[in-house]
Amino acid sequence: MTPDPLMPGTVTVALRPLRPGDEEAAVRWAADPVFCRAVDWTPGLSARVVRRHWQAIIAGNDPTFRRWGVTVNGELVGYADLGRIGPGGAELGIALGDRAWWGRGVAFRACRDLLTLAWEVGLPRVTALVHAPNARSHALMRRLGMREDGQAEPEPYAGEVVAVTRYVILNPAVGGE
């Protein structure tokens, strides 16, 4: 447990497998237009559509995609995933649906744990894509030890098409950084 200077007591950040019922947290997050713009979710989706989408993710039938819940003191506040999983590595994704935890080190701790999981299963590298205006995500990638590795195709972000930076980190156990 790590003390949080912004909150009294201790704060425990953990990853856990998604489970039935977690889709209700996603429904709450989807009702927040600021969150939707930040993570490129379509604002105003019905609760039914969000539930159905998340139920499919929770079922976890895609071997190239794995999502975990991010918890703070046992409460689901976001998610972290490894996508495009293959012999060459995977792509990291992170989103905190509860904005009260933005900028407080939760995403860093969750991503650090996710990288540990990636290394434990022998992935040789992990990449991440970050939209140019997302300063917090750029800082997070650098704090994790990732380095810039070129540009990806521009993508929509917060209502406009923007540049996308690719970050990479190599598994230290297989000759990486």
Side-chain angles (χ1 to χ4, degrees), residues 90-132:
E91 184 178 297
L92 177 147
I94 180 83
L96 299 181
D98 185 340
R99 286 191 288 131
W101 294 105
W102 287 11
R104 308 223 354 236
V106 172
F108 171 76
R109 290 158 67 185
C111 286
R112 184 185 59 201
D113 291 350
L114 190 60
L115 287 172
T116 298
L117 291 170
W119 305 155
E120 286 173 355
V121 299
L123 291 175
R125 64 189 272 149
V126 171
T127 60
L129 300 178
V130 178
H131 297 101

Side-chain angles (χ1 to χ4, degrees), residues 56-109:
I57 292 170
I58 291 166
N61 295 325
D62 182 351
T64 68
F65 179 81
R66 182 79 196 281
R67 178 168 284 172
W68 291 264
V70 174
T71 64
V72 173
N73 297 337
E75 178 185 345
L76 185 65
V77 301
Y79 59 90
D81 41 58
L82 292 173
R84 300 181 182 167
I85 300 168
E91 184 178 297
L92 177 147
I94 180 83
L96 299 181
D98 185 340
R99 286 191 288 131
W101 294 105
W102 287 11
R104 308 223 354 236
V106 172
F108 171 76
R109 290 158 67 185

Side-chain angles (χ1 to χ4, degrees), residues 47 72 88 126 136-137 149 172:
V72 173
V126 171
R136 281 186 172 157
S137 288
D149 188 44

